[in-house]
Amino acid sequence: MAIPHAAPNEVVDVRPLARAIREDDSQLLIRTEHLEVFRYALPAGKSIRQHSAAGLMIIQCIEGRISFVARGRTQTLAAGDMLYLDDAEPHALDALEDSSLLVTILLRRA
Amino acid sequence: MAIPHAAPNEVVDVRPLARAIREDDSQLLIRTEHLEVFRYALPAGKSIRQHSAAGLMIIQCIEGRISFVARGRTQTLAAGDMLYLDDAEPHALDALEDSSLLVTILLRRA
């Protein structure tokens, strides 16, 4: 989470990095009261054990390919694939290739 | 808005259409209680006069190039550019090329 997040109306680059990906390529892109968007960078072979987001989550694969497990189902997401999960649904994932994901989290309402 | 929106954990294709774009390529992709995501398809030359979304809005350019006006500033967004606007901020846009945008709207809280 290396750079400060964007201000309103400020253009943010979410293009593929198109190079070897390191975990520290992850970046918080947008943070508002109710919503966060970040780029999640996953080198090939990186696994994220089952966990839950802080609220509804949208994942968009920007580059690479991941195996995504939720609701008892394993699916492959490649660049251009998106899905969402309801509030705090448990999920896990494995990077099948160097991958980056755009993750949007709608923070749970008080 | 031709197809039904996705269920949770259902993969949605947000790749570029990579062909001539028609307005009826627009699609609602995700609709939940508090959030909507749609692909907004804009043929070259299409203008959208100033208006406001129903809440905070994120725009991600998937393909093409648009001129985007908000907060007294005109910016060009190309594929891979993203920005957000605060709750119901007025904006206008022109499609400089055949374009499609991924638009996420966080519906205003009661």
Side-chain angles (χ1 to χ4, degrees):
Chain A
M1 305 294 167
I3 62 161
H5 54 86
N9 206 29
E10 181 183 340
V11 177
V12 177
D13 186 348
V14 297
R15 290 169 182 79
L17 297 172
R19 55 164 172 74
I21 285 182
R22 307 178 307 268
E23 286 188 54
D24 68 2
D25 289 318
S26 295
Q27 290 185 335
L28 178 64
L29 303 173
I30 296 172
R31 172 175 282 164
T32 72
E33 186 183 357
H34 300 299
L35 185 138
E36 289 181 353
V37 180
F38 51 94
R39 182 196 289 263
Y40 205 39
L42 296 164
K46 174 76 182 176
S47 289
I48 308 291
R49 280 180 298 183
Q50 183 172 296
H51 65 290
S52 298
L56 181 145
M57 175 183 68
I58 304 171
I59 292 191
Q60 179 186 348
C61 186
I62 296 291
E63 65 193 317
R65 209 159 49 90
I66 65 162
S67 173
F68 184 85
V69 186
R71 299 182 149 213
R73 190 173 168 194
T74 302
Q75 302 183 91
T76 300
L77 302 184
D81 286 329
M82 166 184 277
L83 61 70
Y84 83 99
L85 289 180
D86 286 326
D87 221 27
E89 186 96 49
H91 60 280
L93 53 91
D94 291 286
L96 305 175
E97 303 171 2
D98 276 5
S99 300
S100 65
L101 309 174
L102 207 56
V103 179
T104 302
I105 294 176
L106 177 54
L107 303 170
R108 196 179 288 168
R109 286 138 197 265
Chain B
M1 307 292 170
I3 61 158
H5 54 86
N9 206 30
E10 180 183 342
V11 177
V12 177
D13 186 348
V14 297
R15 291 169 181 79
L17 297 172
R19 56 161 172 76
I21 286 182
R22 307 180 307 267
E23 287 188 54
D24 67 1
D25 289 318
S26 294
Q27 290 185 335
L28 177 64
L29 302 174
I30 295 172
R31 171 176 283 162
T32 72
E33 187 183 355
H34 300 299
L35 185 139
E36 289 180 354
V37 181
F38 50 96
R39 181 196 288 263
Y40 206 38
L42 296 164
K46 174 76 182 176
S47 288
I48 308 290
R49 281 179 296 184
Q50 184 171 295
H51 65 290
S52 298
L56 181 145
M57 176 181 69
I58 304 172
I59 292 190
Q60 180 187 346
C61 187
I62 297 291
E63 65 193 317
R65 210 161 48 91
I66 66 163
S67 175
F68 184 86
V69 186
R71 300 180 149 213
R73 188 172 169 196
T74 301
Q75 301 184 90
T76 300
L77 302 184
D81 286 330
M82 167 185 275
L83 60 70
Y84 84 98
L85 289 181
D86 285 328
D87 222 28
E89 188 96 48
H91 60 282
L93 55 92
D94 290 287
L96 305 174
E97 303 171 2
D98 276 5
S99 300
S100 64
L101 309 174
L102 207 56
V103 178
T104 302
I105 295 177
L106 178 55
L107 303 170
R108 196 179 288 167
R109 285 138 198 266

